[in-house]
Amino acid sequence: MKLLLLSGSFHSQSKSLAILKSVENLLSGHTTETPKLDTLPFFNEDLNKNKPASIVGLMDSIEHADGIVICTPEYNHSIPAVLKNALDWASRPAFNSCLKDKPVTIITQADSPVGGARAQAHVKLIMDAILSDIHVSHEMMITPISKVITNGVISDEKTLSRLERHVTDFLRFIEKRR
């Protein structure tokens, strides 16, 4: 299986990228790709007519993926602009995009006790509008993230166990759709 891993942050200490690295380790035997969403231009209808190569590449990666794992922090009770921008690009044409019917699972992380619940809800709302196939499962929210990750690696065994269960369940979700 090919899985696309989308991060909502790309700074040098990104907890979302650290989580996706753990997800990638759990997906040994599968192909993964983590596109650099922070290099994409802002969505602009004028650019949509002749999409930049970076956008065409992202849409091609989505098209050929069997499923997508989104991991994001919560910024101001919502999702980071870099993730929203990528989803806006990939959601075209409306109701018939490369994201339509694509299996998607969502992981959020925060130091807040709420664990990014609002970001989780916003990603679900966006993916529902795009007509993606949202993985219905226990919500994977990791908190308090600063105590779960040490030196860029998930160091909490309970979190690793939950993450493994979540990823395994997502793979089953994808398989059932085939």
Side-chain angles (χ1 to χ4, degrees):
M1 250 187 268
K2 180 180 179 187
L3 293 129
L4 200 61
L5 310 178
L6 301 182
S7 178
S9 68
F10 288 89
H11 61 87
S12 62
Q13 302 299 310
S14 171
K15 308 286 191 300
S16 294
L17 285 174
I19 292 166
L20 288 175
K21 188 67 178 162
S22 292
V23 168
E24 188 174 25
N25 292 338
L26 292 169
L27 292 170
S28 62
H30 299 280
T31 304
T32 62
E33 180 185 353
T34 307
K36 299 241 340 119
L37 305 181
D38 60 336
T39 64
L40 302 177
F42 286 114
F43 179 78
N44 179 317
E45 201 62 55
D46 293 336
L47 292 176
N48 197 35
K49 293 173 188 164
N50 273 322
K51 291 177 181 65
S54 59
I55 301 304
V56 173
L58 173 66
M59 293 174 85
D60 186 58
S61 292
I62 292 169
E63 186 69 39
H64 291 97
D66 295 299
I68 298 172
V69 178
I70 296 173
C71 184
T72 188
E74 181 172 298
Y75 288 0
N76 299 317
H77 294 198
S78 190
I79 65 171
V82 69
L83 178 59
K84 179 68 165 77
N85 183 54
L87 296 175
D88 286 345
W89 273 112
S91 69
R92 304 307 196 264
F95 308 113
N96 199 26
S97 74
C98 57
L99 287 166
K100 182 180 180 186
D101 300 322
K102 189 65 65 176
V104 175
T105 195
I106 305 159
I107 302 167
T108 54
Q109 53 87 3
D111 267 319
S112 155
V114 199
R118 293 165 293 230
Q120 179 109 188
H122 287 188
V123 174
K124 284 180 185 173
L125 182 67
I126 294 164
M127 301 316 291
D128 185 51
I130 294 170
L131 305 178
S132 294
D133 194 1
I134 302 166
H135 175 217
V136 179
S137 68
H138 65 283
E139 293 181 332
M140 187 67 191
M141 295 178 277
I142 302 174
T143 187
I145 194 63
S146 62
K147 293 184 179 173
V148 169
I149 294 183
T150 308
N151 298 322
V153 177
I154 296 177
S155 54
D156 179 69
E157 290 301 320
K158 193 179 206 180
T159 300
L160 281 171
S161 177
R162 287 179 53 231
L163 191 61
E164 182 175 17
R165 182 182 72 214
H166 187 82
V167 169
T168 300
D169 192 52
F170 184 53
L171 293 174
R172 277 195 296 264
F173 175 75
I174 295 169
E175 283 294 330
K176 286 180 184 176
R177 299 180 72 258
R178 291 180 162 199

